[in-house]
């Protein structure tokens, strides 16, 4: 019973934080432009996708997040927050690098919001990143703590091109 209460409290906190994200004003200026990244910061430095062969990016489940090192969780959360709150495309390069090199699931969930990289990319209208995440095996049907899928994020924030793409995967 205690575990159930704790899970419910965590779920409510995620919903609250996610609501705060949704109500955040558009901000094109980076909050922390000097924030150091542990991985290189430009997408051009990496070939983010392989040649289309079988990938294992989506083979990790949510329980694997519990196995990640604390620094890695912090980096992934920071990347997702920067992408959502600051429209920081450089954070995508780091996010992809962490997925590729640190065995992080492409369906990783932000620890405070439960938003996945696909949801964040869809909500911000980053079409090429949405395509890359889908190519890496991102689950287009997974839901955030508020029950929204990536398609719902794209619809809510008026990202028509992303909506058109995600509807192909319905």
């Amino acid at each position: 019973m205690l575990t159930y209460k704790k899970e419910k409290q965590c779920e409510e906190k995620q919903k609250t934080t996610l609501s705060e994200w949704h109500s955040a004003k558009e901000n094109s200026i980076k909050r922390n432009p000097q924030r150091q990244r542990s991985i290189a910061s430009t997408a051009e430095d990496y070939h983010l996708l392989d040649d289309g062969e079988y990938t294992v990016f989506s083979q990790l489940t949510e329980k694997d997040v519990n196995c990640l090192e604390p620094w890695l969780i912090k980096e992934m959360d920071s990347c997702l927050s920067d992408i959502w709150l600051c429209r920081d495309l450089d954070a995508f390069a780091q996010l992809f690098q962490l997925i590729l090199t640190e065995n992080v699931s492409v369906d990783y969930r932000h620890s405070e919001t439960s938003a996945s990289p696909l949801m964040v990319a869809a909500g911000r209208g980053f079409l090429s990143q949405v395509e890359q995440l889908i190519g890496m095996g991102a689950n287009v049907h997974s839901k955030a703590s508020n029950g929204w899928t990536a398609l719902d994020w794209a619809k809510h924030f008026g990202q028509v091109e992303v909506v058109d793409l995600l509807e192909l995967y319905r």
Side-chain angles (χ1 to χ4, degrees):
M1 185 66 168
L2 186 60
T3 304
Y4 176 77
K5 272 186 167 181
K6 210 172 197 182
E7 287 175 5
K8 282 298 182 186
Q9 287 174 340
C10 181
E11 187 177 309
E12 286 303 314
K13 183 179 179 202
Q14 286 178 338
K15 286 180 183 178
T16 301
T17 306
L18 192 57
S19 294
E20 290 169 4
W21 269 26
H22 287 175
S23 64
K25 292 188 184 229
E26 297 291 331
N27 183 1
S28 60
I29 301 170
K30 294 181 182 178
R31 283 179 301 155
N32 299 318
Q34 302 302 318
R35 180 174 92 79
Q36 288 186 333
R37 298 194 187 277
S38 59
I39 309 293
S41 64
T42 60
E44 293 79 24
D45 291 342
Y46 301 102
H47 299 288
L48 299 176
L49 293 176
D50 61 12
D51 61 358
E53 295 295 317
Y54 173 77
T55 61
V56 295
F57 300 117
S58 62
Q59 300 303 308
L60 299 175
T61 61
E62 286 184 31
K63 70 177 176 66
D64 293 312
V65 171
N66 297 328
C67 300
L68 294 177
E69 296 287 331
W71 72 268
L72 191 52
I73 293 170
K74 183 178 177 184
E75 283 296 316
M76 290 294 291
D77 285 353
S78 180
C79 287
L80 288 172
S81 295
D82 287 351
I83 293 164
W84 179 256
L85 297 172
C86 303
R87 294 180 171 263
D88 185 355
L89 286 174
D90 287 341
F92 259 117
Q94 182 178 8
L95 181 106
F96 284 130
Q97 186 64 16
L98 291 170
I99 290 170
L100 292 168
T101 62
E102 299 295 336
N103 204 26
V104 177
S105 171
V106 71
D107 290 321
Y108 173 84
R109 301 300 189 97
H110 189 281
S111 61
E112 294 179 8
T113 64
S114 78
S116 71
L118 183 62
M119 294 170 194
V120 171
R124 280 298 182 209
F126 297 140
L127 185 62
S128 65
Q129 286 80 4
V130 169
E131 290 171 338
Q132 288 174 338
L133 290 163
I134 291 171
M136 294 169 81
N139 182 352
V140 297
H141 303 291
S142 65
K143 295 181 179 184
S145 59
N146 64 354
W148 288 9
T149 63
L151 178 60
D152 297 324
W153 282 63
K155 284 181 179 178
H156 182 80
F157 294 102
Q159 308 300 343
V160 178
E161 291 179 332
V162 176
V163 168
D164 292 343
L165 174 65
L166 290 172
E167 284 183 337
L168 296 174
Y169 293 92
R170 263 182 129 169

